[in-house]
Amino acid sequence: MYHLACKKYTQAGDRLKAMRALVKSGDTEKIVFFAGVSKQREVYIMAANYLRTLDWRANPDYLKNILNFYTKAGAADSLAGFYLGCAQMEIDEYKAYDKALQAMQEAAKHLSRSRASDRETQIRVLEQHCDRIRRFNAAQGMLAADPAGGVTIYQQLLQEVPEQQDNMPDVRLGDIYGLLVEWCYQQGNMEQAMQLLQQMANRCLAPQMYLPDAIVSEVCQATGAAIPDNLPPQ
């Protein structure tokens, strides 16, 4: 049905409606082909938006076409949004802040070509977030050689990162606490680790989302303290 609708809309010269019909069909191969031959900005964007709903991480061709279609459409904002989405995924699913930073830097390049009225504000906020992630990454590398310096950076970030974060990727408070707790645990400083776990609980951060259960259990056993077990996932 959708393929027939696409054919009729194409014959009538309405490629946008034709693409909408194809998107509803879910025929990825035809969607990619139609976007390529249509060479129309809105069609490119619709095709890229559709491909983003698929598992593009597992299919390099999907990723290639997303970037290619947005680029051909001159859709700087969409490209920036895609890279920001990649960065957030790297943080949420893998805690891969190094890869997240790379994606955010790509987003910044495309934001610089945006025509949005708030472009400068977006770029400034994004750079603030990139700076925090750079410092977070640096602190991780410092813990072995300069633990005091690394811990100081983490403590500074705990003061800077807002609890209610905006829609741009940023360091997660739970990841900062998690690394501090794990470092204290490795040093045998269970009392300090417990204090940090309690701070997490006070900020409604569920430790099990950021730390191995074994570490949380050992810290609680060593200190004879407990933390709430009904905290909402972050």
Side-chain angles (χ1 to χ4, degrees):
M1 179 179 70
Y2 292 121
H3 291 88
L4 178 60
C6 174
K7 182 177 180 180
K8 289 187 176 298
Y9 285 131
T10 301
Q11 290 172 342
D14 194 333
R15 292 185 176 273
L16 284 181
K17 288 185 177 179
M19 176 56 91
R20 291 192 186 101
L22 272 182
V23 168
K24 289 179 180 179
S25 76
D27 190 330
T28 302
E29 185 176 348
K30 283 188 170 56
I31 289 169
V32 170
F33 175 79
F34 189 79
V37 298
S38 293
K39 298 181 180 180
Q40 189 170 334
R41 182 177 189 274
E42 293 79 4
V43 172
Y44 281 139
I45 292 174
M46 288 175 64
N49 290 345
Y50 164 78
L51 291 172
R52 287 178 66 174
T53 67
L54 306 180
D55 187 7
W56 52 265
R57 292 181 67 91
N59 190 319
D61 286 338
Y62 292 169
L63 175 59
K64 177 182 176 182
N65 283 319
I66 290 169
L67 299 178
N68 186 37
F69 289 156
Y70 279 148
T71 299
K72 287 183 175 180
D77 291 313
S78 295
L79 276 165
F82 176 70
Y83 278 112
L84 289 175
C86 293
Q88 193 65 62
M89 185 182 299
E90 293 292 352
I91 292 171
D92 291 342
E93 297 187 16
Y94 308 104
K95 298 184 182 180
Y97 282 93
D98 51 345
K99 292 184 179 180
L101 181 59
Q102 292 173 9
M104 291 166 72
Q105 290 168 335
E106 285 296 320
K109 293 178 185 177
H110 295 292
L111 273 180
S112 68
R113 293 192 284 270
S114 168
R115 297 181 181 179
S117 59
D118 63 342
R119 179 188 67 178
E120 296 304 322
T121 299
Q122 289 189 61
I123 292 174
R124 184 176 66 255
V125 171
L126 177 56
E127 181 51 40
Q128 290 172 350
H129 289 216
C130 286
D131 178 67
R132 283 199 285 261
I133 290 178
R134 288 189 195 98
R135 289 157 59 204
F136 177 79
N137 289 342
Q140 286 184 274
M142 292 170 65
L143 283 180
D146 181 15
V151 170
T152 296
I153 293 175
Y154 284 144
Q155 291 172 336
Q156 291 171 345
L157 288 171
L158 286 175
Q159 299 300 316
E160 294 176 26
V161 177
E163 294 197 27
Q164 296 296 324
Q165 297 186 325
D166 53 36
N167 60 354
M168 284 194 182
D170 203 346
V171 180
R172 299 190 303 183
L173 285 169
D175 287 333
I176 303 172
Y177 275 115
L179 286 170
L180 282 171
V181 170
E182 194 163 356
W183 183 76
C184 290
Y185 168 82
Q186 291 170 351
Q187 302 304 307
N189 192 343
M190 299 301 194
E191 292 294 336
Q192 183 63 43
M194 190 66 230
Q195 289 179 23
L196 290 165
L197 286 174
Q198 290 172 335
Q199 288 178 29
M200 292 182 75
N202 291 339
R203 300 180 80 161
C204 293
L205 296 168
Q208 67 270 21
M209 297 293 296
Y210 306 97
L211 284 158
D213 290 340
I215 290 180
V216 177
S217 297
E218 286 189 43
V219 172
C220 290
Q221 289 174 2
T223 58
I227 55 173
D229 58 4
N230 59 346
L231 294 172
Q234 297 297 306

